[in-house]
Amino acid sequence: MRYAYICERCDEMFEMEFAEIDEPAPREAVCPKCEYPHAVKAFVVPDSSAGCTPGSGC
């Protein structure tokens, strides 16, 4: 599952993917831009292959 994180220090938003296992994704991650170790999990990134698409009739 893919999650979006946001860095409180530099306002960078980035995505990280985790395998769906028994453990939930971590609440915090290291920002790839400024390396601040406390970027917080913001939301689940929807799968781009799911949902309505042009011509799907929904």
Side-chain angles (χ1 to χ4, degrees), residues 3 6-7 12-13 15 17 22 30 32 36-37 40 42-43 45-46 48 51 54 56-58:
Y3 293 89
I6 188 160
C7 180
E12 177 77 7
M13 185 170 280
E15 296 179 4
E17 190 163 348
D22 295 336
V30 177
Y36 182 62
V40 293
F43 56 88
V45 176
S48 61
S56 67
C58 40

Side-chain angles (χ1 to χ4, degrees), residues 13-52:
M13 185 170 280
F14 58 95
E15 296 179 4
M16 294 183 70
E17 190 163 348
F18 297 94
E20 291 186 35
I21 54 175
D22 295 336
E23 299 274 332
R27 292 180 56 195
E28 295 182 333
V30 177
C31 176
K33 183 177 178 182
C34 72
E35 298 183 354
Y36 182 62
H38 302 291
V40 293
K41 184 168 57 174
F43 56 88
V44 174
V45 176
D47 184 1
S48 61
S49 64
C52 291

